[in-house]
Amino acid sequence: MEPLRIAVYSNSPSSPSGYGVSTLNIVERIVRAGHEAAVLCNFGHHGMPLFLNLPESLEHGYWIFPYDGNGLGEAGAVAMAKKWEADLVVTNYDTWPMKSMFPALRAAQIPSMAWTPWDFLPDYGSRPMWENLVNATTVLPYSKYARKNFLDHLPTERVLENCYLGIDTDVFRPVIGDEMEDGTKVTKEMFKEKRGFDEGGDVHITMINKMNKAERVAYPYMLEGWKLFAENNLDIKPRLYLNCDLNQGNGYPLDSLLSDMGIGELVKFTTRLDQGLGLTPEQLSALYNSADVTLCSTLSEGMGLPIIESLGCGVPVVSTNAMVMKEVLEPVCKELLVMPQAEFWQNVPGKYVVPDVPRIADALEKSLKRDPEKDRETLSQYARGLFDYDTVVFPRFMEAVNQTLGIADQICWKVPEPSEELKAKAKPVEVYSDG
């Protein structure tokens, strides 16, 4: 394949959001494969364009074009893509707010591929989620669930087979049992003590990882469910670890919430310094390896990176039985899926689900019956087979890039000039006037 110039419109690769993390992983691999890459930021970078050097093992870097203050940056992104002479623009983002991006790219004769989720229930009232994709060259859904919904509205030939977001399974993997330099084997208790649970290591830890969408995090439901589980299982010393800012809580005052619920003393948080600097993938993997179960029973997910990161580390996940969460977890954690108690309309145009608090507690209790050693093997193998960036996700991504460019080659971007022979056969146009 000839080297390509691929621009990715998304959150900054330095952003801890799912879009930012996945963009970082994709553009690094685009460069490793011998292509050029640029990120057209709609969030996370402001100011002058930066040149970001990749790790020393890589020979090249990629351009970051910052957010330009124009709404979601669509007009500026298209102008930057034209100036950079991109062969393809990939949007790794929601599509419901993107009203001008794809028509502008089509007018500029730049092929586009929308790598995108469907993070609502199918029967929502507003249509921009798929209407804004009419002018995209192709749609690359995150999941099979997303693809099914897009196929209900868009031409079949332009909705490609799905490509999941991924993880580096060399980082997000089970480390319990690994041998350290001094010959000592890593134990779960070591990790728990590092998290601040210095009660002899014999505590049961539920992990809730930071989630960046305030309208779908569902902290009150998850915390109420965990409290009920804890009250019913005091003998296992239940504890909760939250990888999020105590004072932020994505819209919820978590310090007040935990205090009012009477569980504040059972909860540990990531340090404020780590919250400010952001955790490395290795540090995040260590958190998952500390946990006995991950709780991610949210109102909605487009992909749910905490879910697949946890699976990669061999830790089971309690989540909501809907959308992509059901698709990913049903094969390996079916009994831990929580049936919703209700559905509701959100101001972002879509319908979400509300997780059921008693069923969250019940699912956490069911997780106690699982075999941790078996989970470390089967869940990590499952994650490696579906979500590993190097062996699964990036090859599928580049396959989709080639499919998109192939479809773009068939598009008549301009009406061609008529041949001289055709011009000679054309009859002259007679113009009439009143005198």
Side-chain angles (χ1 to χ4, degrees), residues 122-174:
D123 54 338
Y124 63 95
S126 187
R127 298 190 296 173
M129 197 146 189
W130 61 267
E131 277 190 335
N132 291 346
L133 290 170
V134 169
N135 286 287
T137 309
T138 60
V139 177
L140 181 61
Y142 279 3
S143 62
K144 294 176 183 177
Y145 169 79
R147 185 172 190 268
K148 180 181 182 298
N149 286 293
F150 284 125
L151 282 172
D152 287 340
H153 304 284
L154 296 168
T156 303
E157 65 275 8
R158 290 177 42 233
V159 181
L160 307 179
E161 293 293 332
N162 77 287
C163 177
Y164 291 120
L165 298 189
I167 55 173
D168 184 344
T169 57
D170 288 333
V171 175
F172 291 98
R173 65 178 185 86

Side-chain angles (χ1 to χ4, degrees), residues 86-354:
D87 294 307
L88 173 72
V89 171
V90 177
T91 61
N92 180 21
Y93 201 59
D94 297 298
T95 58
W96 56 264
M98 299 173 64
K99 296 179 180 178
S100 63
M101 170 73 81
F102 298 113
L105 288 171
R106 189 181 183 105
Q109 301 175 35
I110 300 175
S112 58
M113 181 174 77
W115 191 24
T116 188
W118 185 294
D119 48 0
F120 306 118
L121 292 175
D123 54 338
Y124 63 95
S126 187
R127 298 190 296 173
M129 197 146 189
W130 61 267
E131 277 190 335
N132 291 346
L133 290 170
V134 169
N135 286 287
T137 309
T138 60
V139 177
L140 181 61
Y142 279 3
S143 62
K144 294 176 183 177
Y145 169 79
R147 185 172 190 268
K148 180 181 182 298
N149 286 293
F150 284 125
L151 282 172
D152 287 340
H153 304 284
L154 296 168
T156 303
E157 65 275 8
R158 290 177 42 233
V159 181
L160 307 179
E161 293 293 332
N162 77 287
C163 177
Y164 291 120
L165 298 189
I167 55 173
D168 184 344
T169 57
D170 288 333
V171 175
F172 291 98
R173 65 178 185 86
V175 298
I176 307 304
D178 282 6
E179 194 170 287
M180 298 188 290
E181 292 181 359
D182 63 359
T184 306
K185 288 193 174 183
V186 177
T187 66
K188 180 78 79 172
E189 288 69 27
M190 291 179 182
F191 277 104
K192 290 181 179 182
E193 289 179 7
K194 284 186 177 180
R195 303 285 80 79
F197 297 104
D198 52 356
E199 303 163 65
D202 57 341
V203 296
H204 180 279
I205 297 180
T206 301
M207 160 90 160
I208 297 179
N209 188 20
K210 180 178 181 180
M211 290 160 279
N212 69 324
K213 291 281 188 177
E215 70 271 11
R216 70 183 185 204
V217 168
Y219 274 121
Y221 302 100
M222 289 195 287
L223 293 176
E224 286 283 0
W226 183 84
K227 178 185 177 182
L228 184 58
F229 160 75
E231 290 172 344
N232 293 335
N233 294 277
L234 295 176
D235 57 312
I236 63 171
K237 296 183 182 178
R239 301 292 185 267
L240 184 62
Y241 193 92
L242 298 180
N243 179 34
C244 63
D245 188 337
L246 176 64
N247 294 320
Q248 177 196 1
N250 295 98
Y252 297 103
L254 283 183
D255 50 354
S256 300
L257 189 60
L258 293 168
S259 176
D260 291 345
M261 292 173 65
I263 59 174
E265 294 182 357
L266 304 178
V267 181
K268 300 287 187 184
F269 283 82
T270 307
T271 68
R272 291 186 182 277
L273 179 61
D274 283 338
Q275 291 164 15
L277 296 176
L279 296 179
T280 66
E282 290 76 13
Q283 290 172 318
L284 192 51
S285 175
L287 291 186
Y288 287 115
N289 274 278
S290 306
D292 296 289
V293 63
T294 295
L295 176 55
C296 188
S297 192
T298 55
L299 311 181
S300 163
E301 291 292 340
M303 184 67 236
L305 280 183
I307 293 174
I308 61 177
E309 289 168 347
S310 182
L311 294 177
C313 294
V315 178
V317 181
V318 170
S319 190
T320 313
N321 192 28
M323 306 173 217
V324 72
M325 301 92 83
K326 177 181 179 179
E327 177 181 328
V328 170
L329 289 172
E330 194 168 49
V332 288
C333 296
K334 185 175 182 179
E335 78 279 14
L336 306 186
L337 287 169
V338 178
M339 289 300 294
Q341 62 167 303
E343 301 174 357
F344 74 101
W345 292 98
Q346 177 59 267
N347 57 341
V348 174
K351 187 186 279 188
Y352 288 171
V353 294
V354 181

